[in-house]
Structures are given as C-alpha cells and as structure tokens.
Amino acid sequence: MPEISGNAGYKPLQGKLAIVTGASRGIGAAIATKLASYGATLVLNYTSPSSAQKTQDLADTLSATYGTSSIIVKADLGDTSVGEDIITAIKTSPLYSTSTRPLKVDIIINNAGISKNTKTVDVTPAVFDEHYRINVLGPLLLVQAAIPYLPYDGSGRIVSLSSVSATLGLPGQAIYGGTKAALEAMTRTWARELAERCTATCVNPGPVVTDMYGGTSEEFKEVMRPFIEHAPLMNSGGAKGRGATSEEIAGCVGMLCLPDSYWCTGSVVSCNGGMLMGI
Ligand code: NAP
C-alpha cells in the first residue's frame, strides 16, 4: 500500500476551524489527523464514555505532532440538541470565549455513524429510529446550527461519510443504506442552498478496517468478498481483496477540504478502490 504523506510544511488549512464528528476512532480519527496535518484547528466530537481518553490522547498527539489546537466535545448525534450543543461548546471553549474574532466554522465532517446490520424481517421502529436519528437527523441538525457561522466567500466545506451501501442494496442494510442515501440527497440540497457559503460533498467507502466493519457477521463478509476481490485497488499490489485503511479514506476527505476542490460540489466522490465498478 502506498504511504500517505504527512504533508510536512504544507498547511493549506491554517487558520480554519474543522468540526469532525465521531473523531475518537476509526475513519474520524484518521480524518482529524489529516486535517491537523494541513494546519486546521479541530473540534473533536465523540459520545461513548469509553472514548473520552482516546479522544484526549488524539488531541494530545496532534498538538505534539502538528501544534494543533483542539476542542473536545462529548455530544450524541442522536440528541435533537446536538447541533446547538456542539456550537455552544465551541463558543464557550477557552479558544473562543475570550476571542474578539467572530466564530467561523470552515469545515464540517459528518463522519459519526452507526451500522447494525438487520435483515428486513427483523427491522423494528426502534432500529429505524436509532439509525436515522444518528446518521441523518444528527448531520442535518449540525449543519443547521452551523449555518450562521459558515464563511460568506464560498470557502466552506461540508463532507459527509456515505457508503457503497447507499447504492449496492446489500443484505441487512435496508436501513443503513437508506440513511446513507438520505445523506447523499441532503448533500445535493446543501450544495444548492449553501452555494455562496460552502461546497457539499460525500465520499462513499466500501469496507474499511475499523470497529464498524470488524463488527459485521461472517455471513456479511462472505457477501462482500466478490465485490472486494474485483475492486481494482482492493486487489492490487499482491492483495487478494482487502478493505481500505482509515487513512486511505481520510486522504480523499482531506482532498475535498482543500481550497483547490472549490469547483467540486453536490457530488458523491467515489472512494472505494473502484468497488462500484461492479463484479
Ligand atoms: P466506527 O469505527 O464504528 O466509529 C464510529 C465513530 O462514530 C466513533 O467515533 C463513535 O464515537 C462515533 N459515533 C457513533 N455513534 C455516535 C453518536 N450517537 N454520536 C456521536 N458520535 C457517534 O466507524 P467507522 O468505520 O470509522 O465509520 C465512520 C463513518 O464511515 C460512518 O459514518 C460509517 O457509516 C462510514 N462508513 C464506514 C465503513 C466501514 O467499512 N467501516 C464503510 C462505509 C462508510 P464513540 O467512539 O464515542 O462511540
């Protein structure tokens, strides 16, 4: 696998504030690291008590490595107050409470999400509600709360984590895939409604080696095998089909946050090793 550079000295996001939801582990932690390497100041969100120390350790490492300032916010994307909770936490943090500069939210990464594979016969309203609250309503409420603080020169960025599941009709993912399709639809609307303020894009990974994919059943992994084995990049360099690393996804998200990506909006950027080319 090619090494993904740390971009030493390249700081295109210096002075920008980036909110990363679900930054405690997996893809979110890798995205936070990538944006920190580009010079951004970070808001690191998590929700589980067991992730408090992990998130603090990440902030400490990024501070030592890149000189990054981070605001850590424990907030549940499933709470209807989550948008206001995150914005209030930023405003009242030591970084902003004494600053005379108006708050500007340059980048929002809607990364936090859940996936509890459930066959359609077993879906309950509670399963539906939990997925749509965390994966759809949470990002909507965060973007809504951040609108007053987005830049006015079109330099803002919203990047949301969709999935190949929005497209492939994977078994057990009627609900999860539906939430990701909803996120893609909201992204297209944000691209129009907020066109003067920010771009809005999604990335759509296939399997990524994180706790989420690790938690899927052997039966599900067996369904995924032919897809993975026929994705050009997942079957390259001697690999016989492999999931992506979190850093490979973070590289693509980081690219969409750069100033150079300003003409890219309203689209789902394929970030799955070519898996959507089909089997
Ligand atoms: P993960 O390893 O399970 O980590 C999930 C992250 O989301 C954690 O930081 C977790 O915080 C946070 N989170 C979960 N529920 C939350 C809530 N209610 N409020 C706030 N934060 C919450 O997941 P991942 O694999 O890194 O996935 C990240 C994103 O990529 C998700 O949107 C997922 O759907 C998408 N994706 C993943 C894959 C894959 O194969 N892994 C493929 C395609 C798309 P705590 O640590 O505090 O629990």
Side-chain angles (χ1 to χ4, degrees):
M1 163 193 342
E3 194 185 327
I4 296 177
S5 79
N7 302 290
Y10 178 53
K11 303 287 179 194
L13 302 183
Q14 194 86 55
K16 293 189 186 285
L17 181 70
I19 300 173
V20 183
T21 66
S24 48
R25 51 199 168 92
I27 297 169
I31 292 170
T33 302
K34 174 56 77 176
L35 300 184
S37 80
Y38 285 162
T41 296
L42 297 177
V43 178
L44 303 173
N45 159 253
Y46 74 100
T47 190
S48 306
S50 58
S51 289
Q53 190 57 50
K54 270 182 218 154
T55 314
Q56 184 61 58
D57 291 347
L58 176 65
D60 292 345
T61 301
L62 298 180
S63 171
T65 310
Y66 303 112
T68 308
S69 299
S70 296
I71 300 164
I72 295 175
V73 184
K74 182 178 189 303
D76 185 341
L77 265 286
D79 282 347
T80 51
S81 61
V82 69
E84 290 307 330
D85 291 347
I86 291 177
I87 295 297
T88 301
I90 299 170
K91 283 181 168 172
T92 55
S93 71
L95 263 186
Y96 283 89
S97 58
T98 55
S99 170
T100 51
R101 273 182 308 145
L103 173 62
K104 186 155 63 70
V105 175
D106 300 285
I107 296 168
I108 300 172
I109 309 295
N110 289 313
N111 166 77
I114 59 162
S115 171
K116 298 179 184 169
N117 285 0
T118 313
K119 291 269 174 64
T120 298
V121 289
D122 297 320
V123 170
T124 61
V127 168
F128 179 94
D129 186 56
E130 185 185 18
H131 281 78
Y132 274 82
R133 280 173 81 93
I134 295 172
N135 294 4
V136 182
L137 184 58
L140 173 68
L141 293 173
L142 175 58
V143 167
Q144 190 180 56
I147 285 174
Y149 308 102
L150 291 173
Y152 281 87
D153 61 358
S155 65
R157 298 285 183 271
I158 300 172
V159 185
S160 301
L161 272 287
S162 181
S163 163
V164 292
S165 186
T167 308
L168 288 181
L170 297 171
Q173 298 203 330
I175 302 304
Y176 175 71
T179 65
K180 295 305 184 181
L183 201 48
E184 293 182 5
M186 291 197 300
T187 292
R188 288 185 280 272
T189 291
W190 294 338
R192 286 197 196 278
E193 289 185 356
L194 302 172
E196 305 294 328
R197 316 285 295 281
C198 63
T199 65
T201 50
C202 283
V203 295
N204 58 352
V208 186
V209 184
T210 65
D211 295 342
M212 181 180 280
Y213 190 63
T216 60
S217 67
E218 286 310 312
E219 181 192 359
F220 183 74
K221 291 193 180 84
E222 215 33 57
V223 171
M224 298 304 280
R225 185 196 299 275
F227 287 100
I228 293 175
E229 287 183 350
H230 290 83
L233 297 182
M234 290 181 179
N235 203 22
S236 62
K240 279 219 162 37
R242 67 167 177 88
T245 64
S246 293
E247 289 71 21
E248 286 168 328
I249 309 307
C252 191
V253 172
M255 178 180 79
L256 291 168
C257 293
L258 294 176
D260 274 356
S261 71
Y262 78 98
W263 205 242
C264 182
T265 196
S267 54
V268 180
V269 176
S270 211
C271 181
N272 45 62
M275 186 173 163
L276 282 187
M277 293 174 71
I279 55 172

